[in-house]
Amino acid sequence: MKKFVLSAALAVMMSTAAHAETIGVSMALFDDNFLTVLRNGMSDYAKTLDGVELQIEDAQNDVSKQQSQIQNFIAAGVTAIIVNPVDTDATAAMSKIAADAGIALVYVNREPVNVDTLPEKQAFVASNEQESGTLQTQEICKMLGGKGKAVVMMGELSNQAARMRTKDIHDVLATDQCKGIEIVEEQTANWSRTQGSDLLTNWLSAGLEFDAVISNNDEMAIGAIQALKAAGRSMDSVVIGGIDATQDALAAMAAGDLDVTVFQNAAGQGKGSVDAALKLAKGEAVDKKVYIPFELVTKENLDKYQAKN
């Protein structure tokens, strides 16, 4: 009888192990508001799925560490891998490592440099960055009446999203409706609130005059707001725009400080990346690029997005 019970228990354990699916997740950085929402979106969704577990690691903005994490996931025999890249120019090597091991890999949020040549069993889930900077800058142009001076805060230059969002800004300001707006300064603040504040403080100290701050993300925009307030500048005298619609950004908008942001569905991207990883691991067809739309957020429709967050 004891042998039968032990055998039955072992059979159940083996069956559970056989059906358990583990997804290794390498995040570029845990200490980032938007990426935290993305990570939580993955975790919350995985909890609703039977037999799916996530092993989430922090790459701490280190490309070498991220590559090692991918290799460790493969050695551990994970079902699939999700990567939020530290450096989008370094993804070709990561794709090769996963492809050589026959492990499904999904890039999330940050577009890999090799997105158009991804191997089999690999995909990219995010939002189309051409929409983000375009929606943001068109609204800022409208608020300025197509005339004025603007400063641009860029994200990390190694990141495709920063490059694309900045290109969007230039493209919009080159149109007939917005060509009266001049970019008087453009520098990186590396997605950081602290660096955004420092950069804006430097511009103010240099006597730079501007009517708008166009930031590649909300964190740098919030840093700019902090610097403007510290300098005693009226928030009514400048238009501030960010991207991501984080909780802090929506709070800044409700306070009357932030004028424009763009909702990027971080939780939706997290869910989409888990779904794509599981399908690819099973050999099911998945689009190479899975896009979740951006949405413009202003004070007029703020309530809708506060409810989402």
Side-chain angles (χ1 to χ4, degrees):
M1 184 64 180
K2 280 187 177 181
K3 286 184 178 180
F4 175 77
V5 172
L6 288 171
S7 297
L10 182 60
V12 170
M13 290 174 62
M14 291 180 67
S15 175
T16 301
H19 288 90
E21 296 176 288
T22 300
I23 300 175
V25 181
S26 175
M27 297 296 298
L29 185 68
F30 276 13
D31 188 20
D32 179 283
N33 282 352
F34 178 81
L35 296 182
T36 297
V37 178
L38 174 64
R39 175 163 46 96
N40 290 341
M42 288 186 212
S43 296
D44 291 345
Y45 179 57
K47 290 173 185 175
T48 70
L49 305 175
D50 289 336
V52 175
E53 295 182 358
L54 301 187
Q55 181 182 335
I56 306 179
E57 303 289 344
D58 182 3
Q60 299 177 332
N61 255 359
D62 184 326
V63 176
S64 298
K65 181 185 286 288
Q66 186 158 67
Q67 187 164 310
S68 294
Q69 288 170 350
I70 293 169
Q71 292 169 328
N72 291 339
F73 288 148
I74 292 170
V78 298
T79 305
I81 298 170
I82 296 173
V83 176
N84 169 241
V86 169
D87 183 347
T88 53
D89 287 337
T91 52
M94 298 176 190
S95 284
K96 186 177 187 307
I97 292 170
D100 288 349
I103 299 292
L105 183 148
V106 175
Y107 293 105
V108 63
N109 182 250
R110 298 178 175 181
E111 182 175 307
V113 68
N114 58 324
V115 68
D116 292 322
T117 57
L118 289 175
E120 292 296 314
K121 297 177 69 175
Q122 295 190 17
F124 168 55
V125 177
S127 298
N128 187 344
E129 292 297 350
Q130 191 169 359
E131 296 176 3
S132 60
T134 300
L135 288 170
Q136 173 200 45
T137 311
Q138 285 176 339
E139 185 64 18
I140 290 173
C141 171
K142 178 181 173 183
M143 290 181 172
L144 291 178
K147 297 178 182 179
K149 296 180 178 180
V151 292
V152 176
M153 290 186 167
M154 299 181 289
E156 293 173 3
L157 300 183
S158 63
N159 193 290
Q160 186 273 347
R163 299 194 295 265
M164 189 69 233
R165 292 176 185 182
T166 303
K167 181 180 182 299
D168 296 340
I169 294 168
H170 285 272
D171 288 347
V172 171
L173 297 187
T175 62
D176 288 341
Q177 302 95 315
C178 306
K179 62 185 180 183
I181 299 173
E182 175 192 2
I183 296 175
V184 293
E185 191 59 83
E186 178 179 283
Q187 291 185 39
T188 181
N190 295 307
W191 305 121
S192 165
R193 185 181 303 195
T194 300
Q195 291 187 43
S197 178
D198 292 344
L199 179 58
L200 205 287
T201 298
N202 291 340
W203 284 338
L204 290 171
S205 298
L208 197 66
E209 296 183 0
F210 51 89
D211 306 294
V213 177
I214 310 176
S215 171
N216 282 173
N217 79 337
D218 288 334
E219 283 295 289
M220 294 185 294
I222 292 170
I225 290 168
Q226 291 174 339
L228 287 164
K229 286 186 170 183
R233 181 159 175 179
S234 169
M235 298 310 299
D236 292 334
S237 68
V238 58
V239 174
I240 309 288
I243 293 174
D244 288 338
T246 61
Q247 288 186 346
D248 286 354
L250 297 180
M253 186 174 284
D257 298 331
L258 185 69
D259 298 286
V260 179
T261 187
V262 181
F263 177 67
Q264 183 176 190
N265 192 341
Q269 289 181 17
K271 177 181 181 298
S273 65
V274 172
D275 278 338
L278 293 172
K279 287 179 180 179
L280 288 170
K282 294 173 184 174
E284 298 177 15
V286 173
D287 289 341
K288 287 294 184 183
K289 299 178 185 178
V290 180
Y291 286 135
I292 297 168
F294 281 104
E295 301 170 34
L296 181 68
V297 185
T298 64
K299 293 167 186 175
E300 284 71 32
N301 65 353
L302 175 60
D303 290 349
K304 171 184 174 183
Y305 294 92
Q306 286 176 317
K308 286 187 178 185
N309 280 277

